[in-house]
Amino acid sequence: MTASWITQGLGRRMTMMFGGLFFAIGAVINGFAENVLMLIIDQVLLGFGIGFANQSIPIYLSEIAPSKYRGALNIMFQLSITIGILVANLLNYFTAKIEGGWGWRLSLGEAVVPGLIFFFGCFFLTDSPNSLLECDKFEEAKEEFNDLAKASEAAKLVQNPWREILTRKYRPQLIFAILIPLFQQLTGMNVFVFYAHVLFKSMGFGNNASLMSALITSIVNFSATLVSIATVDKYGRRTLFLEGGLQMLLCQLVMTVSIASKFGTSGNPGWLVPSEIFPLEIRSAAQRRITVAVNMIFTFCIAQVFTTMLCNLKFGYFIFFAVCVVGMSIFFCKFLPETKGVPIEEMTIVWKNHPRWIFLIKN
């Protein structure tokens, strides 16, 4: 939420620089942590870094990308995340072999490298035309299209964006601003990202084997992202949503069978206690704030309830996720319009012409 105000007031580029700086400082504190207080401070700084990055980068990419390549360039953000997860799991695998018990410091502290690359890399970027106009830097944006200036002036006339986003004409965008990040968490994706090592260990893998399994999962995640980049602007966002839903449903069913065969209905994974688990951590400004806030809130919630739900529900935990995947796929199939090749300035036309939303918007 804080990042959204900075993004609007100081620009996307400045917000990204703040995010990189928070990451770098947090990683240094993490690596040299001597007590719980230092770990808490580190988590706060890294949390700000994640919030600032998630708030500014997708908006920046959407604003600078040509409409026919916008999908692929936006997924580059996801690609960077998957690369980071892959590298993190790779480092975890090798630093776990370091004798003396200090390998975790190296694993966590090395996050300062991407943080600094992120921070200094922003010096070589120019802010997006939309961002320059929002910050009243008209001279720097004067070579851009007139419709951007008109859109920016119209946006400034909105006195209360929170009240505006609740009006009828923005109802579809508001619904998806909430439901897309909500479904993203309720499909169980982050459970596999955060707790792959724990899940594989619960299935009987040894410590090194479970780390290797988590590494393999990261490689698959990275490879799938490459496929998405190559196909999103050809087949569309909606198609990939539905195809991804089918894959996640099959994944949840496999996990259900695996956990059921291991523990049944009465098995007790007694070693799985909370103290062992520590997660690695539109246009409308109000809409983007809502999306990021919902994503972060439910990421936190899923992380907190994971151990309790897995220990009590066992394989039923993944049946819960499977039901959510089915609900997500049905809802997106009926209500999500395709935005392939549509310039971001014309996105409202897509909603106005959608057969499921036209009545709500016009009435």
Side-chain angles (χ1 to χ4, degrees):
M1 297 297 287
T2 302
S4 65
W5 296 106
I6 297 178
T7 301
Q8 190 172 8
L10 298 181
R12 289 50 158 156
R13 177 172 170 268
M14 186 63 68
T15 308
M16 290 188 289
M17 293 180 70
F18 277 124
L21 190 61
F22 282 129
F23 275 125
I25 297 174
V28 171
I29 297 176
N30 224 351
F32 291 97
E34 296 291 342
N35 51 56
V36 174
L37 178 60
M38 292 183 70
L39 290 174
I40 293 174
I41 294 174
D42 156 68
Q43 294 301 302
V44 171
L45 291 173
L46 292 179
F48 271 105
I50 293 172
F52 276 51
N54 281 342
Q55 174 65 40
S56 57
I57 296 176
I59 295 178
Y60 182 81
L61 292 175
S62 295
E63 291 175 344
I64 66 171
S67 59
K68 63 179 180 179
Y69 299 126
R70 191 176 64 248
L73 288 176
N74 262 300
I75 297 180
M76 291 297 291
F77 176 51
Q78 176 64 27
L79 177 65
S80 299
I81 294 175
T82 59
I83 292 174
I85 295 172
L86 174 60
V87 172
N89 281 317
L90 191 64
L91 290 174
N92 288 341
Y93 179 76
F94 287 107
T95 55
K97 300 178 181 293
I98 297 177
E99 298 181 0
W102 58 273
W104 66 272
R105 293 186 180 275
L106 184 61
S107 179
L108 296 177
E110 285 179 337
V112 69
V113 176
L116 291 176
I117 293 175
F118 187 22
F119 175 75
F120 287 108
C122 290
F123 283 99
F124 298 93
L125 299 177
T126 58
D127 230 331
S128 68
N130 306 71
S131 181
L132 293 172
L133 290 170
E134 282 186 4
C135 297
D136 295 328
K137 298 179 180 179
F138 297 104
E139 289 299 317
E140 297 180 46
K142 63 182 179 181
E143 297 181 0
E144 300 300 327
F145 300 107
N146 291 331
D147 57 348
L148 291 178
K150 293 178 181 178
S152 178
E153 289 301 316
K156 289 181 180 180
L157 295 177
V158 178
Q159 298 297 322
N160 192 329
W162 291 103
R163 183 179 300 170
E164 185 73 12
I165 196 66
L166 294 175
T167 59
R168 181 182 291 271
K169 65 179 179 179
Y170 293 119
R171 197 68 53 79
Q173 294 94 318
L174 175 62
I175 290 173
F176 277 96
I178 295 173
L179 288 185
I180 287 179
L182 173 61
F183 278 128
Q184 181 185 13
Q185 304 307 320
L186 293 181
T187 54
M189 180 191 71
N190 275 352
V191 167
F192 291 99
V193 173
F194 290 160
Y195 303 114
H197 166 63
V198 176
L199 289 170
F200 284 117
K201 193 173 181 180
S202 70
M203 297 304 300
F205 288 82
N207 189 56
N208 286 336
S210 60
L211 285 172
M212 177 57 72
S213 300
L215 180 60
I216 294 173
T217 302
S218 301
I219 294 174
V220 174
N221 188 17
F222 170 72
S223 302
T225 305
L226 292 178
V227 174
S228 298
I229 292 174
T231 58
V232 64
D233 287 309
K234 181 178 181 180
Y235 298 106
R237 287 77 161 145
R238 184 173 177 272
T239 300
L240 292 190
F241 259 124
L242 298 176
E243 190 273 339
L246 177 60
Q247 287 189 0
M248 286 187 286
L249 176 61
L250 294 176
C251 176
Q252 300 299 354
L253 294 177
V254 170
M255 286 301 300
T256 298
V257 173
S258 301
I259 297 292
S261 62
K262 177 69 176 180
F263 299 113
T265 57
S266 58
N268 179 27
W271 60 270
L272 203 64
V273 295
S275 60
E276 291 192 30
I277 300 176
F278 197 27
L280 299 174
E281 289 290 24
I282 323 179
R283 296 288 293 160
S284 167
Q287 184 175 339
R288 182 60 194 169
R289 293 167 197 164
I290 293 170
T291 301
V292 174
V294 172
N295 194 6
M296 294 295 101
I297 289 171
F298 278 91
T299 298
F300 173 79
C301 292
I302 291 295
Q304 296 306 307
V305 303
F306 168 74
T307 51
T308 301
M309 291 186 68
L310 182 60
C311 289
N312 288 279
L313 297 179
K314 301 178 180 67
F315 63 86
Y317 188 36
F318 298 95
I319 294 178
F320 165 77
F321 284 136
V323 171
C324 291
V325 170
V326 173
M328 175 195 73
S329 300
I330 293 174
F331 186 84
F332 285 169
C333 182
K334 290 184 175 293
F335 294 99
L336 182 65
E338 180 55 65
T339 59
K340 179 180 65 174
V342 180
I344 195 168
E345 291 79 18
E346 301 175 9
M347 202 63 67
T348 54
I349 300 175
V350 175
W351 297 100
K352 290 180 180 179
N353 295 333
H354 192 274
R356 302 283 182 178
W357 297 111
I358 187 172
F359 177 78
L360 176 64
I361 294 175
K362 289 188 176 181
N363 294 278

